[in-house]
C-alpha cells in the first residue's frame, strides 16, 4: 500500500489511537502513546489526519501540547514523551516488589466463592515449612526493589501464626543490613486474632486486610461459619485492630457473588457505617470454588458493570454529602488516566505484573508468578509454577513459564489491545485468560477481563467528559486521596 | 433462517490486515469467512450463533462492518504515518532497564 505523506503541512502526526464513545460532537476519544487524551468530533478527526487543522485554534494547541501532533520546524517532543513513557512503565525497573507468602491453605471458613480452594482446619500437608520459609526470605531479598511488600495469604494465615512470626523476624533481621523499605500485610478473616498476634503486629507495624462483603445478611451468606457469626466476628476483629494499631491499620474489600449485585447501596452503607474510607467492589474471579460453583454464584460481566455504575453514582452522591469513601478500582484507573505514573496494581499492567511485579511462595515450596497462578494449582493446573523456593530468583525468572507469560503479557502487541484507545491505561492478564479461555493470549471479544475494563474505562471517561462539577471534584479527590472539602477550588477566592 | 450476505472489498482501500482486525473486533456478534481474490477481499457474513436473540440484523451488521472497516483503515493509515515512533519511544524510555 502506498501512503502519500503531505509535505506542505505545518504539522505531522504522533502515534495515537481512537475509540468511538458515542455519537455526540465529542464522541471520539483520542489517546496518545503517552496516555494523554482528548475528545474530538468526527469532523475534527478528519481535519487532523488530513492536515487541515487551522494552526492557531485552541484544538490545535491542545493537540500539540498533548503530543498528538508535532510541528516540523518546532519543538522536538520526543524526549519528553520518552520521559512520560518511562514514568508510566517505571514498575519495570525495580524487580518484584510484592511478595506473597502462603503460610497455610487451612481455614475455618467455608466461603462459597473461595478462590484458593482452602483445606480443612485440621488438615495436614498444607502448611509452609520452616525451611521453605527461610529460602523464601532469601528469594525476597534477591529482588533489587528498594520498596517491598510482604503479604501473608492463606487459607487463614493466623492459623499458622508461628510461621508468620518466623518470616517477619527473619525479614527484619536481614533488613538491618539491606535497609529496604518494607511493609507487612496479613490477609485475614480476623477471627483468630488474639493478644499475642496484636502485640506482634504492633511491635512490627503489621497491617491487616480483610473481607467485608456487606451487611450481615450478605456477608454471612457468602462466608458461612459453623457458628453463623462471620460478620459479627469480622467487625469485632476490625475494632480490635483499630484500637491497638490505629484506624488505618486495617482495610477491607468485597467479593461480589450474584446475590450481592442486588444490593449496591447496602454494601456501601456498611462500609460507611464501619468508617472505611475506601471500598473495592471486585467481581468474582474464575478460580477455586468460585469456578466450581459458578452455576450458582457467577453472573455475566454486563450485570456486574450495571451494578458498578449504580454503586459509583451512589458513592459520588455520598461524597458530595461529606462522606469520604472512594472506590479502589476507580481510583487506580484514574491514576492511569490522569497521571503519567504507574498505580502499583500488578494485575493491570503491561507488561503483565505476574513474576515481574509479584512473586508467590506457596505452602508446598513452589514459587508462582501470581496469587492466581497458585490458585490454579489447586484446580489441577500446575503448569504455571516457576520452580522451587530453593532456586535463585534469577533462575525462577528465567523459567519457561515467564517466557510464556511475557509473550502473552504485553498488551501493546496483543490482538485487539494493540488498536485499543485504552491500552495506555489497561494491562494484560495472561493468567486470567489462561484460566477462562485456556489460552494466555485469549480472544478479546470474549474476554471478561476486557469487557470489565472496557466498560469501566468508558464509564469513567464519560464522567470526565460530561460529569457535573461535583462528579469531577469527587473523582479528583479520590485521585488525590484527599477529602473533597480539602481540594483547592480553581480561580480567585472570594 | 439466519441471514447472510457477502461483501466484496477493494484490497487497496481495505487491505487484508484491516479486514482481519475488523472481523476480530466483531467476533462476539458476527461470523465472517474471509477470502482473497486478485485485488479483492471478500467477506461472507452471518450472525454469530452464540449471540442468539442479541444478534444484529443484516442491516445493522452491514453498517457495523463498514464503520469498523473504515475505522481500522484509518488506524492503519495513522500507524503507517507514525511508523517507528512507538518503537523509538519504548526503546528510549526503557533502555536503562536493559531492554
Amino acid at each position: 500500500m502506498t501512503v502519500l505523506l503531505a509535505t506542505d503541512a505545518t504539522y505531522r502526526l504522533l502515534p495515537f489511537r481512537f475509540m468511538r464513545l458515542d455519537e455526540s460532537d465529542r464522541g471520539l476519544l483520542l489517546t496518545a502513546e503517552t496516555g494523554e487524551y482528548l475528545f474530538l468530533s468526527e469532523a475534527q478527526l478528519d481535519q487532523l489526519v488530513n492536515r487541515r487543522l487551522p494552526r492557531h485554534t485552541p484544538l490545535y494547541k491542545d493537540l500539540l501540547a498533548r503530543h498528538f501532533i508535532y510541528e516540523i520546524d518546532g519543538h522536538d517532543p520526543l524526549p519528553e514523551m520518552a520521559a512520560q513513557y518511562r514514568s508510566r512503565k517505571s514498575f519495570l525497573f525495580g524487580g518484584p516488589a510484592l511478595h506473597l507468602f502462603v503460610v497455610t491453605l487451612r481455614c475455618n471458613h467455608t466461603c462459597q466463592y473461595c478462590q484458593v480452594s482452602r483445606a480443612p482446619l485440621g488438615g495436614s500437608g498444607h502448611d509452609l515449612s520452616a525451611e521453605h520459609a527461610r529460602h523464601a526470605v532469601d528469594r525476597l531479598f534477591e529482588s533489587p526493589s528498594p520498596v517491598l511488600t510482604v503479604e501473608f495469604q492463606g487459607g487463614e494465615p493466623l492459623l499458622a501464626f508461628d510461621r508468620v512470626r518466623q518470616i517477619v523476624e527473619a525479614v527484619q533481621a536481614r533488613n538491618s543490613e539491606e535497609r529496604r523499605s518494607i511493609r507487612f500485610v496479613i490477609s485475614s478473616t480476623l477471627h483468630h486474632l488474639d493478644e499475642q498476634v496484636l502485640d506482634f503486629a504492633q511491635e512490627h507495624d503489621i497491617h491487616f486486610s480483610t473481607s467485608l462483603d456487606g451487611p450481615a445478611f450478605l456477608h454471612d451468606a457468602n462466608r458461612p461459619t459453623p457458628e453463623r457469626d462471620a460478620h459479627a466476628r469480622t467487625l469485632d476483629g476490625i475494632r480490635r485492630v483499630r484500637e491497638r494499631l490505629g484506624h488505618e491499620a486495617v482495610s477491607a474489600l468485597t467479593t461480589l457473588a450474584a446475590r450481592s449485585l442486588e444490593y449496591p447501596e447496602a454494601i456501601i452503607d456498611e462500609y460507611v457505617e464501619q468508617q472505611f474510607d475506601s471500598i473495592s467492589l471486585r467481581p468474582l474471579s474464575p478460580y477455586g470454588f468460585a469456578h466450581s460453583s459458578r452455576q450458582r454464584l457467577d453472573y455475566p460481566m454486563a450485570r456486574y458493570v450495571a451494578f458498578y455504575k449504580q454503586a459509583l453514582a451512589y458513592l459520588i452522591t455520598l461524597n458530595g454529602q461529606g462522606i469520604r469513601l472512594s472506590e479502589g478500582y476507580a481510583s487506580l484507573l484514574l491514576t492511569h488516566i490522569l497521571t503519567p505514573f504507574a498505580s502499583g496494581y500488578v494485575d493491570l499492567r503491561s507488561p503483565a505484573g505476574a513474576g515481574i511485579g509479584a512473586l508467590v511462595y506457596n505452602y508446598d515450596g513452589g514459587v508462582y508468578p501470581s496469587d492466581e497462578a497458585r490458585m490454579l494449582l489447586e484446580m489441577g493446573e500446575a503448569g504455571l509454577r516457576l520452580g522451587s523456593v530453593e532456586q535463585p530468583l534469577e533462575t525462577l525468572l528465567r523459567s519457561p513459564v515467564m517466557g510464556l507469560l511475557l509473550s502473552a503479557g504485553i498488551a501493546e502487541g496483543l490482538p485487539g489491545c494493540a488498536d485499543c484507545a485504552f491500552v495506555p491505561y489497561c494491562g494484560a492478564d495472561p493468567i486470567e485468560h489462561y484460566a477462562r479461555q485456556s489460552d494466555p493470549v485469549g480472544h478479546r471479544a470474549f474476554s471478561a477481563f476486557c469487557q470489565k475494563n472496557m466498560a469501566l474505562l468508558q464509564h469513567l471517561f464519560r464522567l470526565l467528559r460530561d460529569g457535573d462539577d461535583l462528579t469531577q471534584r469527587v473523582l479528583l479527590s479520590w485521585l488525590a486521596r484527599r477529602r473533597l472539602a480539602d481540594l483547592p477550588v480553581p480561580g480567585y477566592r472570594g | 433462517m439466519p441471514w447472510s450476505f457477502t461483501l466484496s472489498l477493494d484490497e487497496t482501500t481495505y487491505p487484508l490486515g484491516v479486514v482481519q482486525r475488523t472481523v476480530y473486533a466483531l467476533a462476539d456478534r458476527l461470523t465472517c469467512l474471509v477470502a482473497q481474490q486478485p485485488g479483492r477481499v471478500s467477506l461472507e457474513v452471518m450472525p454469530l450463533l452464540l449471540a442468539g436473540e442479541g444478534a444484529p440484523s443484516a442491516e445493522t451488521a452491514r453498517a457495523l462492518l463498514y464503520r469498523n472497516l473504515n475505522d481500522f483503515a484509518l488506524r492503519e493509515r495513522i500507524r503507517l504515518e507514525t511508523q517507528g515512533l512507538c518503537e523509538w519511544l519504548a526503546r528510549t524510555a526503557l533502555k536503562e532497564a536493559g531492554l
Side-chain angles (χ1 to χ4, degrees), chain A residues 155-270:
Chain A
E156 168 52 61
L158 294 184
L159 292 175
F161 181 65
D162 284 347
R163 194 63 64 237
V164 173
R165 180 198 301 273
Q166 175 204 346
I167 292 166
V168 170
E169 289 175 344
V171 168
Q172 292 200 318
R174 177 83 177 263
N175 203 42
S176 61
E177 295 173 17
E178 294 274 350
R179 301 201 178 280
R180 315 281 185 100
S181 174
I182 300 182
R183 190 171 81 108
F184 295 100
V185 181
I186 300 178
S187 295
S188 170
T189 62
L190 305 182
H191 289 203
H192 301 276
L193 279 179
D194 57 26
E195 290 306 303
Q196 182 189 33
V197 171
L198 289 169
D199 287 343
F200 188 78
Q202 187 171 34
E203 181 184 352
H204 296 278
D205 194 23
I206 298 174
H207 286 207
F208 289 86
S209 171
T210 194
S211 282
L212 181 63
D213 285 0
F217 76 92
L218 276 177
H219 185 98
D220 289 338
N222 281 349
R223 305 171 66 83
T225 59
E227 299 84 8
R228 300 179 187 227
D229 59 353
H231 181 264
R233 289 184 67 180
T234 295
L235 295 194
D236 184 61
I238 292 169
R239 179 190 59 76
R240 294 177 70 189
V241 169
R242 284 173 169 169
E243 278 177 5
R244 283 292 296 272
L245 308 178
H247 189 87
E248 306 304 321
V250 60
S251 61
L253 36 76
T254 65
T255 298
L256 300 166
R259 193 173 171 218
S260 308
L261 300 185
E262 300 170 34
Y263 301 101
E265 289 86 2
I267 293 169
I268 291 168
D269 286 342
E270 180 69 14

Side-chain angles (χ1 to χ4, degrees), chain A residues 260-429:
Chain A
S260 308
L261 300 185
E262 300 170 34
Y263 301 101
E265 289 86 2
I267 293 169
I268 291 168
D269 286 342
E270 180 69 14
Y271 273 70
V272 172
E273 187 165 338
Q274 302 311 321
Q275 299 180 322
F276 285 103
D277 60 15
S278 179
I279 181 172
S280 284
L281 299 168
R282 52 174 199 171
L284 219 52
S285 64
Y287 306 103
F289 299 169
H291 176 74
S292 53
S293 302
R294 62 191 181 280
Q295 295 279 19
R296 190 163 39 86
L297 301 177
D298 206 358
Y299 38 83
M301 190 54 72
R303 206 176 144 210
Y304 164 77
V305 171
F307 161 91
Y308 187 90
K309 289 178 179 177
Q310 188 177 344
L312 203 65
Y314 185 55
L315 279 167
I316 290 170
T317 300
L318 288 179
N319 278 260
Q321 294 168 358
I323 295 169
R324 185 185 177 196
L325 184 61
S326 64
E327 203 285 315
Y329 205 69
S331 300
L332 80 91
L333 289 178
L334 288 169
T335 299
H336 290 187
I337 294 170
L338 298 174
T339 81
F341 305 119
S343 67
Y345 184 62
V346 297
D347 292 344
L348 198 69
R349 285 182 176 172
S350 174
I356 299 175
L359 286 170
V360 178
Y361 310 106
N362 201 25
Y363 69 89
D364 64 352
V367 182
Y368 294 82
S370 75
D371 211 16
E372 290 73 19
R374 66 104 175 180
M375 294 173 191
L376 283 172
L377 172 68
E378 307 303 329
M379 297 165 67
E381 173 52 72
L384 295 178
R385 186 176 189 265
L386 296 180
S388 161
V389 75
E390 297 175 40
Q391 295 175 286
L393 184 62
E394 185 178 343
T395 303
L396 295 169
L397 293 182
R398 288 182 188 277
S399 156
V401 172
M402 282 306 303
L404 171 74
L405 294 176
L406 286 172
S407 67
I410 300 177
E412 288 85 349
L414 295 178
C417 297
D419 292 314
C420 182
F422 290 149
V423 78
Y425 322 114
C426 198
D429 195 340

Side-chain angles (χ1 to χ4, degrees), chain A residues 3 5 13-16 18 20 23 33 45 49-51 78 81-82 85-86 89 93 415-416 419 442-446, chain B residues 12 15 21 24-25 27-28 48 67 71-72 74-75 77-78 80-82 85-86 88-90 92-94 96-97 99:
Chain A
V3 175
L5 298 176
L13 299 182
L14 288 167
F16 69 89
F18 67 91
R20 294 178 183 275
E23 303 301 320
E33 195 68 21
L45 177 61
V49 297
N50 289 302
R51 309 290 197 285
L78 294 180
M81 290 175 68
Y85 198 90
R86 187 183 189 286
K89 303 294 185 185
F93 299 114
D419 292 314
H443 195 302
R444 221 58 62 231
F446 305 101
Chain B
T12 306
R21 285 149 75 187
Y24 183 92
D28 59 337
L48 181 71
R67 167 165 272 190
D71 282 352
F72 278 105
L74 180 57
R75 292 184 179 106
R77 178 181 164 185
I78 294 167
L80 287 171
E81 288 191 23
T82 61
L85 289 177
C86 292
W88 184 93
L89 263 179
T92 304
L94 304 179
E96 287 178 34
L99 302 173

